[in-house]
Amino acid sequence: MKKRIGVFFGGQSGEHEVSRVSATTVINSLDREKYDVVTIGITKAGEWLLYEGPVELIAPGEWEKKAREDLERDPGHFAFSVLGSAGHKLTDIIDFALPIMHGPNGEDGTVQGVFELLNIPYGGSGVAGCAVTMDKIIAKEVFANAGLKQSPYIAFSSEDIGKGIEEKINSELEYPLFIKPANMGSSVGITKVTREEDLLPALRLAAKYDSRIVAEHGIDAREIEISVMGNEELSFGAAGEIIPAAEFYDYDAKYNNEESKLLIPAPLSEEQLKAVREMAGKAYKAAACCGFSRVDFLMDKSTTEIYINEINAIPGFTSISMFPMLMMETGLTLPEITDRIIELGYERYSLKNNR
Ligand SMILES: Nc1ncnc2c1ncn2[C@@H]1O[C@H](COP(=O)(O)OP(=O)(O)O)[C@@H](O)[C@H]1O
Ligand SMILES: [Mg+2]
């Protein structure tokens, strides 16, 4: 019998729209000879809706209207209450979950926790891997513990703003600075600060998104990324390089500015590529990642020193996103990549349950 793969898209984070585009790529790549595909959209308000319309309506957001119309016709059938008894049970309609959501409530272990509770195998990292990589402060502590080089940083609470944290940052870190909310993505809430007088507004902006904030030294860096797949044994995609069209790779440069360039493969020496792979593997294991991830680095332009920046547990999966392109560079096709993600999900599930 064909496995019923539930692809989850949307979600409650600022990356809802990106998720719809990522999920569309994944849905289209799933081999219909092998799988029955079930699509479940999570609205910005957090409702889980079974969506049975055309895939093309997912990216532009029109899926939601259709899902709601179906819901009105047949309330028992189309709505999910994650923990309540209303509606259909998720376990009745899917065998495997593929969450393709970015940011909080999707990529941070929460949705993964639901699949754990329901005992559904799922693709990608588990609760711990997602939670660790979503929180930039915890991720940095984990990377430090694994002996990985990173830019000097200070972690603090939004409560500390105006109570001495500015002075501490100014005395301990060198400008330029990057001020980041700990739990976001797509560069939302991040400011590059080059002058002391701009620090406070940057802190206040970050505080709008999270009470946990990081200040770190900004490196004049090349941005190098690598895709990783596996549970125990890891395989690597090519390394890629991003040349942002802006001061840094902010939201606009990521999604709107077509001048941002991707170099695949990244022009690196054998030695540098080896170092990137080694660091990526260490970081992936240290952060308890499973299935697949994209690991991002900053390479100092003057010293060529490589620093780890972050891991994305559920990286962008649009047809022009780094993760799939770096994997495809090694000869895999998109359907082979999604197949592998499903295989690895089942492998992790059986490792966990058969002991
Ligand atoms: N320490 C740093 N030095 C130089 N550039 C940085 C630094 N930290 C972040 N950036 C820039 O900001 C972008 C977004 O930061 P990142 O930590 O990757 O957050 P996000 O999770 O939103 O992608 C990076 O892609 C890079 O362009
Ligand atoms: Mg990033």
Side-chain angles (χ1 to χ4, degrees):
M1 240 182 44
K2 285 192 207 174
K3 293 282 182 208
R4 296 166 302 174
I5 307 296
V7 180
F8 293 76
F9 64 87
Q12 290 168 271
S13 83
E15 293 170 282
H16 177 103
E17 286 78 10
V18 184
S19 157
R20 294 197 317 243
V21 183
S22 288
T24 300
T25 311
V26 170
I27 292 162
N28 287 332
S29 78
L30 288 166
D31 182 350
R32 302 305 201 271
E33 300 276 307
K34 281 189 182 161
Y35 310 116
D36 282 328
V37 180
V38 178
T39 50
I40 294 142
I42 302 183
T43 66
K44 286 183 184 170
E47 291 166 283
W48 296 38
L49 302 176
L50 178 62
Y51 173 61
E52 299 182 301
V55 178
E56 299 72 50
L57 299 190
I58 294 177
E62 289 155 28
W63 71 276
E64 195 174 326
K65 186 167 164 278
K66 164 101 175 64
R68 263 183 217 297
E69 283 165 8
D70 290 347
L71 173 64
E72 268 165 39
R73 261 209 316 275
D74 186 354
H77 234 77
F78 297 93
F80 293 103
S81 161
V82 176
L83 294 174
S85 60
H88 239 55
K89 283 217 286 293
L90 207 49
T91 43
D92 292 340
I93 58 163
I94 64 169
D95 302 304
F96 185 95
L98 209 44
I100 307 296
M101 291 183 287
H102 314 300
N105 290 329
E107 191 182 0
D108 62 353
T110 49
V111 166
Q112 289 73 15
V114 170
F115 301 140
E116 293 285 347
L117 288 172
L118 294 172
N119 198 27
I120 301 174
Y122 57 96
S125 290
V127 174
C130 286
V132 165
T133 53
M134 190 75 240
D135 188 298
K136 290 190 191 326
I137 298 174
I138 297 178
K140 281 177 189 298
E141 303 286 321
V142 168
F143 297 151
N145 204 47
L148 297 166
K149 282 211 188 80
Q150 41 192 338
S151 189
Y153 67 94
I154 299 174
F156 51 93
S157 153
S158 55
E159 296 288 302
D160 300 332
I161 299 173
K163 294 181 194 151
I165 196 64
E166 295 84 340
E167 292 73 11
K168 184 173 155 73
I169 291 169
N170 285 327
S171 70
E172 292 179 18
L173 293 177
E174 255 177 73
Y175 279 69
L177 303 173
F178 275 81
I179 306 298
K180 311 177 180 180
N183 288 283
M184 270 309 297
S186 289
S187 302
V188 175
I190 298 183
T191 314
K192 179 177 181 179
V193 182
T194 49
R195 305 176 310 170
E196 264 189 52
E197 59 262 45
D198 297 330
L199 178 58
L200 191 59
L203 294 175
R204 291 203 174 117
L205 177 71
K208 280 194 187 160
Y209 296 96
D210 197 0
S211 60
R212 293 160 61 74
I213 303 174
V214 200
E216 66 185 70
H217 170 61
I219 302 167
D220 183 18
R222 290 172 61 188
E223 297 196 46
I224 307 291
E225 309 188 337
I226 192 163
S227 50
V228 184
M229 292 187 81
N231 294 330
E232 300 295 323
E233 236 170 82
L234 306 183
S235 61
F236 297 91
E241 177 165 357
I242 286 160
I243 306 190
E247 249 302 275
F248 72 97
Y249 205 33
D250 59 13
Y251 189 91
D252 189 62
K254 278 180 182 170
Y255 301 113
N256 303 328
N257 196 327
E258 290 181 1
E259 303 285 295
S260 291
K261 283 196 182 65
L262 308 182
L263 303 181
I264 300 175
L268 295 176
S269 68
E270 262 315 301
E271 231 167 278
Q272 289 166 336
L273 178 60
K274 195 166 158 254
V276 164
R277 280 197 187 137
E278 255 175 45
M279 287 177 77
K282 269 192 195 168
Y284 187 95
K285 285 278 167 88
C289 291
C290 293
F292 70 110
S293 283
R294 195 190 74 227
V295 187
D296 298 350
F297 297 91
L298 297 165
M299 184 191 214
D300 191 312
K301 282 182 186 165
S302 54
T303 64
T304 72
E305 190 76 63
I306 302 166
Y307 301 88
I308 186 151
N309 180 34
E310 63 163 346
I311 300 185
N312 296 277
I314 306 181
F317 223 114
T318 73
S319 56
I320 53 154
S321 291
M322 269 292 198
F323 177 83
M325 289 204 294
L326 294 176
M327 283 321 306
M328 288 192 283
E329 182 69 14
T330 67
L332 289 175
T333 63
L334 267 178
E336 285 167 342
I337 297 168
T338 44
D339 260 6
R340 184 82 187 119
I341 290 172
I342 294 168
E343 268 169 35
L344 287 164
Y346 273 111
E347 180 189 292
R348 193 174 72 86
Y349 180 82
S350 62
L351 270 174
K352 202 175 148 245
N353 293 288
N354 301 335
R355 60 179 69 246

